Amino acid sequence: MAGKKVLIVYAHQEPRSLNGSLKDVAVAELSQQGCAVTVSDLYAMNFEPRATGRDITGTLSNPGFFNYSVETHEAYKKRSLSSDIVEEQKKLQEADLVIFQFPLYWFSVPAVLKGWMDRVLCQGFAFDFPGSYDDGLLKGKLAILSLTTAGTASMYSKTGVNGDFRYFLWPLQRYQQIPSSENCSTISCKIISLERVWMASLRCLGTSQSSTQGLSLLLPCF
Amino acid sequence: MAGKKVLIVYAHQEPRSLNGSLKDVAVAELSQQGCAVTVSDLYAMNFEPRATGRDITGTLSNPGFFNYSVETHEAYKKRSLSSDIVEEQKKLQEADLVIFQFPLYWFSVPAVLKGWMDRVLCQGFAFDFPGSYDDGLLKGKLAILSLTTAGTASMYSKTGVNGDFRYFLWPLQRYQQIPSSENCSTISCKIISLERVWMASLRCLGTSQSSTQGLSLLLPCF
């Protein structure tokens, strides 16, 4: 991974949380490997999650009838998206690897991270027609979901109370075109060794030991 | 449904959008039936989606290490949650039926609605231990997901490019304990009759013609 650029999109309020610690481990380990690591610390940035007309700095294409996807597509082409979106798009465009680090909130990402996805991944930048699905405009980047849950691994099994964790991962993996099920390595382990397991996973990124294209790290606590 | 209370949690920026129109139809139809209908218009309210320490108005239980779920649970018990959360909890507590009206953003709800879920459905109010899953504290309420997509029905079929729509509905239905697959009626139809179909669905709420417990309205446009 030496020489590669990494973006960590991090969504936890407490720097000393497990999520914060896993983010720190990734920064240290990947920097050690010679990567240039950037962190988008969404809560610290007070990142705006709402998709509104404030995301377009210029004149709207149709001020009388607001269509968010149409307006942000136009604004992307005219370079008139708000500066916070442009900044995140620049980081993402430059990154070879993107790690999403977050605690599971109601079977999905916290709203602040959902807002990053809703606003940053606009038409023209992340996809277009043509230029979607397998030919998406961010094709070739590696993405990792590293998440913690409030439940044990067995609670997220097929017969567990929350159902198979792959069900809730599906919508998150789908738009990133992360292969699910067969190719998805998921690590669930005791808290004492989490940082070590995470570091070990990061160490074999890009090597033959790792099916990193679909790696997800599922951790049983916040 | 006469005499029942309904809460519509609505997430679209444009009042004249299809989502806005479906919300208006629901308000008119259910009011006509004798229901008391309340709308939480999240964008108009500039509803805060981020789960932060600002959600607790009193002293934190542990100011040195912020844990959102612990702090909001404590704040719920001490009645020191922020007023916007308290207001939404009050509406939800009183409602017999809750309708979520939204466009699909990246295979899930828009961030502003995810924030409503993250912040409003806190421990002590929506669930507790004991008091979760089948015994959740909001048990007995009826919930409907009414959503629009940017794709056709065939794109959300098992062999379609987006996969079976039940996959992306799963995380949304799961925490609401809405029965999926077998019991879930989903209506997909041409735009011209959407409002009529929606109205017809609402008309048979609570009658023997309707399996309303798991009704989802999946519409092929914004």
Side-chain angles (χ1 to χ4, degrees):
Chain A
M1 292 291 289
K4 299 285 188 186
K5 290 190 176 175
V6 179
L7 172 61
I8 303 177
V9 187
Y10 163 68
H12 202 286
Q13 308 90 344
E14 172 57 56
R16 291 182 299 150
S17 63
L18 176 57
N19 273 272
S21 174
L22 292 166
K23 179 261 294 173
D24 291 343
V25 164
V27 171
E29 172 57 31
L30 293 168
S31 300
Q32 171 72 19
Q33 290 183 26
C35 299
V37 184
T38 303
V39 177
S40 287
D41 183 342
L42 300 184
Y43 286 109
M45 294 156 71
N46 199 30
F47 189 80
E48 171 61 63
R50 289 161 287 214
T52 70
R54 294 188 291 272
D55 291 353
I56 297 101
T57 60
T59 317
L60 295 176
S61 293
N62 186 353
F65 188 98
F66 184 72
N67 181 316
Y68 185 77
S69 56
V70 168
E71 294 292 349
T72 50
H73 185 201
E74 290 301 313
Y76 177 77
K77 290 187 283 188
K78 291 191 286 185
R79 298 174 186 270
S80 61
L81 283 170
S82 63
S83 58
D84 60 340
I85 295 179
V86 172
E87 184 65 26
E88 294 307 301
Q89 288 180 337
K90 190 165 174 286
K91 294 179 198 171
L92 182 54
Q93 191 65 66
E94 291 175 353
D96 303 292
L97 164 65
V98 190
I99 298 175
F100 296 96
Q101 181 66 58
F102 61 96
L104 198 67
Y105 275 21
W106 287 118
F107 299 94
S108 187
V109 294
V112 72
L113 179 50
K114 184 59 169 56
W116 188 95
M117 295 167 172
D118 290 350
R119 298 175 65 230
V120 174
L121 304 176
C122 76
Q123 185 173 349
F125 172 71
F127 68 97
D128 217 327
F129 304 105
S132 57
Y133 299 103
D134 291 346
D135 292 315
L137 305 181
L138 301 174
K139 189 179 176 177
K141 295 184 189 302
L142 181 63
I144 294 178
L145 301 176
S146 174
L147 60 138
T148 60
T149 74
T152 61
S154 66
M155 292 169 75
Y156 290 94
S157 65
K158 204 158 186 173
T159 53
V161 72
N162 292 321
D164 194 320
F165 72 92
R166 288 174 299 186
Y167 294 163
F168 75 71
L169 285 181
W170 193 90
L172 295 172
Q173 293 176 322
R174 187 70 187 162
Y175 73 83
Q176 296 177 55
Q177 297 295 322
I178 297 180
S180 60
S181 54
E182 305 82 11
N183 301 323
C184 173
S185 311
T186 300
I187 300 162
S188 185
C189 50
K190 288 188 186 158
I191 187 165
I192 196 163
S193 62
L194 284 180
E195 285 89 345
R196 227 178 309 150
V197 171
W198 180 219
M199 193 184 289
S201 302
L202 295 170
R203 278 199 182 137
C204 63
L205 270 177
T207 71
S208 57
Q209 293 105 299
S210 171
S211 65
T212 49
Q213 188 63 31
L215 180 74
S216 291
L217 189 65
L218 179 75
L219 304 171
C221 49
F222 291 142
Chain B
M1 293 289 290
K4 298 285 188 185
K5 290 190 176 175
V6 180
L7 171 62
I8 303 177
V9 187
Y10 163 69
H12 202 288
Q13 307 91 344
E14 171 57 56
R16 291 183 298 151
S17 63
L18 175 57
N19 273 273
S21 174
L22 291 166
K23 179 261 293 171
D24 291 343
V25 164
V27 171
E29 171 58 32
L30 294 167
S31 300
Q32 171 72 18
Q33 289 184 27
C35 299
V37 185
T38 302
V39 177
S40 287
D41 183 343
L42 301 184
Y43 286 109
M45 293 156 72
N46 200 29
F47 189 80
E48 172 61 63
R50 289 161 288 213
T52 70
R54 294 188 292 272
D55 292 353
I56 297 101
T57 59
T59 317
L60 295 175
S61 292
N62 186 353
F65 187 99
F66 184 71
N67 181 316
Y68 186 77
S69 55
V70 168
E71 294 293 348
T72 50
H73 185 200
E74 288 303 314
Y76 177 78
K77 289 187 285 187
K78 290 191 286 184
R79 299 174 185 268
S80 60
L81 283 171
S82 62
S83 58
D84 60 341
I85 296 179
V86 172
E87 183 64 27
E88 294 306 302
Q89 287 179 338
K90 189 164 176 285
K91 293 179 198 172
L92 183 53
Q93 190 65 67
E94 290 175 354
D96 303 291
L97 164 65
V98 190
I99 298 174
F100 296 96
Q101 181 66 58
F102 60 97
L104 197 68
Y105 275 21
W106 287 117
F107 298 94
S108 186
V109 295
V112 72
L113 179 50
K114 184 59 169 56
W116 188 95
M117 294 165 173
D118 291 350
R119 298 175 64 231
V120 174
L121 304 176
C122 75
Q123 186 172 349
F125 172 71
F127 67 97
D128 217 327
F129 304 107
S132 56
Y133 300 102
D134 291 346
D135 292 317
L137 305 182
L138 300 174
K139 189 178 175 178
K141 294 184 190 301
L142 181 64
I144 295 179
L145 301 175
S146 173
L147 60 137
T148 60
T149 75
T152 60
S154 67
M155 292 169 74
Y156 290 95
S157 66
K158 204 158 188 175
T159 54
V161 71
N162 293 321
D164 193 320
F165 72 92
R166 288 173 299 187
Y167 294 162
F168 75 71
L169 284 181
W170 192 91
L172 296 172
Q173 293 176 323
R174 188 68 189 164
Y175 72 83
Q176 295 177 55
Q177 298 295 324
I178 297 180
S180 60
S181 54
E182 305 81 12
N183 301 323
C184 174
S185 310
T186 300
I187 300 163
S188 185
C189 49
K190 289 190 185 155
I191 186 167
I192 196 163
S193 62
L194 285 179
E195 285 89 346
R196 228 178 309 149
V197 171
W198 181 219
M199 194 184 287
S201 302
L202 294 169
R203 279 201 181 135
C204 63
L205 272 175
T207 70
S208 56
Q209 293 106 298
S210 171
S211 65
T212 49
Q213 188 64 30
L215 181 72
S216 292
L217 190 65
L218 180 74
L219 304 172
C221 49
F222 289 144

